[in-house]
Amino acid sequence: LRVLDMTGLPDAASGRAPDGMSVWSGTVALAKACVEVSKHQREFQRRGSKRHKGRSGAATAAAAPQPPGVDVHADLFVNGTSYGILRDALQTGAAGPLRLKCREFQAEELSASGIVTLLESLDPSCVRRVDLRFNNLGLAGLSVILPHLSRFPELRSLKLQYSNVDVRRPTPESAIGIRCLAGQLGMLPSLRELNLGSSRLSGNLRQILCDLQAPLESLELAFCSLLPADLAFLSQSFHAPALKRLDLSGHDFSQSLLEPLRLLLEETSASLLHLDLMECRMADSHLDALLPTLRRCSRLRFLGLYGNSLSTAALKDLLQKTLELPDLRLVVYPFPVDCYKVEPPSESAWNFEEPMDGERLAAASAEISQLLANSGRTDLVWTYNPYGHGALDYFSL
């Protein structure tokens, strides 16, 4: 055995056997195995050297030839609990009998220095994704980490959501941090997917993306407090015609952002496969304004509209007008507004969850299901459940 490929193991409870491992527990198990086998090898060598005491070094080497070892390809997920064992496993390096070759690296709730220690220990040839969500890094922490990513020539995906980046109020320090971030992203020539979710970027998207060497194919900007100028830049950039995946969830498309969104979708219509517009305060009139452009997204596979204030009538109209999209496979729609027991009490409580009327929701769902059945599109799923569908990953687009 020379290569053991353990990448791509399912991580959702619904997708694995009851006694299966998560990516986190799998990482711990692999790391422990690497450390233990390395200890065993050292003990074996120590005993061998005692048995052959008095012989020449060459004779000893001939008597105990070293096996070539096994390259273990894996996706690694590390947090504060598993940091120590993974660090030890990676630092056994090429000398160990089991050599970890990381394909996708995800770290949560670690310090910048801890992340750098692990990144520096990874084999640079295999890494295609680095996911640093929930690390509270800020621009200062990112400026420490990102220079270490340039050693990964195959890095195509970088996820930095929930990194505590907030540049809504410009300061000299934030301007320097943005320039630094842009320059470091520009040092990643293979980068095609970028997730900056929950970073407050208002008006700074152009500055952050300006040094990228190639167009992005997946861009996730959920809850990023974008301004019309940000969407205008994106629609005029070389990224727009290349985008396959776009997530703009959590923005208010009920007012000034609606027209910039429509123009952006026009520019992405020939390439777009996955569009997330969840929790965007859209009502029937806003969806109606977007529909002609959505219908031109001829390759669209996924449309996410959960959390918007749409009526059953508007959803039925959307269904009928998007049946012509041949590749559309999944639509996640919101609970229709006419299925709530009472109206939300005020605009200030727009995200207040009112109780659903189960009978109305069942009736609306049945109407949508009947329309689908009548259309003959047995390959198309409409659901108001936003979970458990295995959203399209960039590498499967």
Side-chain angles (χ1 to χ4, degrees):
L1 187 65
R2 296 291 176 266
V3 176
L4 174 62
D5 189 346
M6 299 186 67
T7 59
L9 297 179
D11 191 35
S14 59
R16 65 173 190 262
D19 56 348
M21 291 191 294
S22 68
V23 176
W24 182 87
S25 60
T27 298
V28 172
L30 279 175
K32 286 181 177 178
C34 290
V35 170
E36 290 301 315
V37 172
S38 189
K39 286 179 182 177
H40 179 77
Q41 182 191 48
R42 288 195 300 271
E43 179 65 17
F44 179 78
Q45 290 170 337
R46 186 181 64 80
R47 291 176 179 174
S49 65
K50 282 184 176 180
R51 284 197 302 269
H52 296 284
K53 193 172 183 180
R55 299 185 185 183
S56 68
T60 302
Q66 292 305 306
V70 178
D71 289 338
V72 182
H73 293 258
D75 299 328
L76 302 177
F77 172 38
V78 60
N79 57 20
T81 307
S82 55
Y83 170 78
I85 186 66
L86 181 60
R87 177 199 58 208
D88 293 346
L90 291 172
Q91 291 180 348
T92 60
L98 298 180
R99 296 182 291 267
L100 284 178
K101 305 284 187 179
C102 178
R103 183 184 70 159
E104 299 189 5
F105 175 80
Q106 181 178 338
E108 288 186 7
E109 299 176 347
L110 293 183
S111 66
S113 61
I115 292 170
V116 167
T117 296
L118 296 179
L119 290 175
E120 285 296 296
S121 303
L122 295 177
D123 184 313
S125 64
C126 304
V127 178
R128 70 178 190 177
R129 169 175 285 154
V130 171
D131 185 337
L132 302 178
R133 70 183 77 183
F134 300 117
N135 287 291
N136 198 31
L137 298 166
L139 284 173
L142 290 176
S143 71
V144 171
I145 292 169
L146 294 191
H148 297 273
L149 300 183
S150 59
R151 62 190 292 267
F152 303 127
E154 300 302 317
L155 183 66
R156 297 177 67 83
S157 171
L158 178 59
K159 293 177 172 281
L160 301 173
Q161 64 267 48
Y162 304 104
S163 287
N164 190 26
V165 172
D166 189 342
V167 291
R168 287 175 291 182
R169 296 176 180 82
T171 65
E173 292 77 19
S174 69
I176 294 170
I178 290 170
R179 187 73 205 108
C180 185
L181 174 60
Q184 290 162 349
L185 292 176
M187 298 296 289
L188 307 175
S190 298
L191 191 66
R192 298 295 181 272
E193 176 175 57
L194 180 62
N195 186 338
L196 295 170
S198 296
S199 300
R200 310 301 188 181
L201 304 180
S202 307
N204 291 284
L205 193 61
R206 177 191 298 273
Q207 292 90 323
I208 290 169
L209 302 184
C210 65
D211 288 344
L212 289 178
Q213 301 178 34
L216 293 170
E217 297 175 347
S218 175
L219 183 57
E220 297 180 67
L221 297 169
F223 298 92
C224 280
S225 303
L226 298 180
L227 302 178
D230 294 310
L231 295 186
F233 153 72
L234 198 54
S235 65
Q236 296 159 14
S237 72
F238 73 158
H239 304 292
L243 282 174
K244 297 178 180 179
R245 180 189 181 110
L246 181 62
D247 186 350
L248 294 172
S249 299
H251 289 92
D252 184 353
F253 288 115
S254 68
Q255 299 180 34
S256 59
L257 285 174
L258 186 64
E259 181 59 14
L261 171 64
R262 192 190 66 76
L263 294 173
L264 173 57
L265 293 180
E266 290 276 0
E267 297 301 320
T268 65
S269 59
S271 60
L272 197 61
L273 307 178
H274 180 112
L275 178 62
D276 253 332
L277 297 173
M278 300 193 190
E279 297 185 36
C280 286
R281 301 200 190 189
M282 287 195 295
D284 293 0
S285 60
H286 310 118
L287 181 60
D288 193 54
L290 288 179
L291 249 177
T293 308
L294 284 175
R295 295 172 70 184
R296 281 195 281 276
C297 297
S298 57
R299 301 176 61 197
L300 197 65
R301 298 181 194 171
F302 171 88
L303 176 61
L305 294 170
Y306 188 83
N308 290 289
S309 299
L310 305 175
S311 68
T312 302
L315 291 171
K316 290 164 61 178
D317 184 53
L318 173 68
L319 188 155
Q320 290 172 321
K321 289 180 177 175
T322 54
L323 287 172
E324 64 201 45
L325 299 178
D327 296 332
L328 191 62
R329 293 293 180 269
L330 177 61
V331 176
V332 180
Y333 65 92
F335 298 126
V337 289
D338 44 289
C339 294
Y340 287 97
K341 289 184 177 178
V342 294
E343 292 297 320
S346 69
E347 174 61 24
S348 63
W350 66 274
N351 60 350
F352 182 78
E353 293 188 7
E354 292 291 338
M356 296 299 304
D357 184 315
E359 290 185 6
R360 291 183 192 173
L361 181 60
S365 180
E367 286 185 65
I368 289 171
S369 296
Q370 189 61 52
L371 283 174
L372 273 178
N374 294 344
S375 73
R377 285 292 303 271
T378 56
D379 58 335
L380 177 55
V381 173
W382 272 60
T383 178
Y384 52 74
N385 178 6
Y387 306 108
H389 302 290
L392 286 174
D393 183 76
Y394 166 71
F395 291 106
S396 65
L397 293 178

